[in-house]
Amino acid sequence: MEQRVPFMETMFVIEALHPDGWRPQGRAKLEYWAYQEAQMRCCSDGRNYRILKEDANEIVALINTSSCRRSGHPTAVHERSHAGGA
C-alpha cells in the first residue's frame, strides 16, 4: 500500500530590517497577502521588509518605501482652475 506524505503548506515569512539584523514580523499562507502586509508596514514605519518562502528559505520579495504613495492620490496636482469664477 502506498504511503502518503502529509501536505505541508508553504508559508511566507515577513521580516523587517532593524539595526541588529532581520526580525520576523508575521507570516501568511499566500505570497500576495505577505506582500500586502509588508508593504503596509513599510509605508507606515519606513523600514525595509523582505518576504521569505519558509520551506525553501528563499527571499521572494524586498520591499522599501519606493512603493509607498507620498501624499494622497499620486496624480493629484493642485492647480488653479482655468474656468470662470473666483
Side-chain angles (χ1 to χ4, degrees):
M1 187 172 234
E2 182 182 334
Q3 287 187 345
R4 288 191 166 183
V5 177
F7 176 72
M8 294 183 65
E9 276 190 37
T10 297
M11 292 295 289
F12 295 91
V13 179
I14 302 162
E15 293 185 335
L17 183 58
H18 290 262
D20 61 339
W22 293 98
R23 293 187 199 165
Q25 301 294 305
R27 296 160 53 103
K29 289 182 182 180
L30 297 174
E31 182 179 349
Y32 174 83
W33 292 118
Y35 188 90
Q36 294 300 311
E37 178 69 19
Q39 185 178 31
M40 182 189 70
R41 288 175 182 244
C42 175
C43 294
S44 174
D45 64 21
R47 294 188 186 278
N48 291 325
Y49 282 79
R50 70 181 182 183
I51 300 169
L52 299 174
K53 190 173 183 181
E54 189 175 48
D55 60 355
N57 200 29
E58 171 187 355
I59 299 170
V60 294
L62 294 171
I63 298 101
N64 61 35
T65 57
S66 68
S67 64
C68 303
R69 292 183 181 176
R70 293 295 171 221
S71 61
H73 193 274
T75 59
V77 176
H78 298 288
E79 294 181 8
R80 285 188 92 152
S81 172
H82 295 292

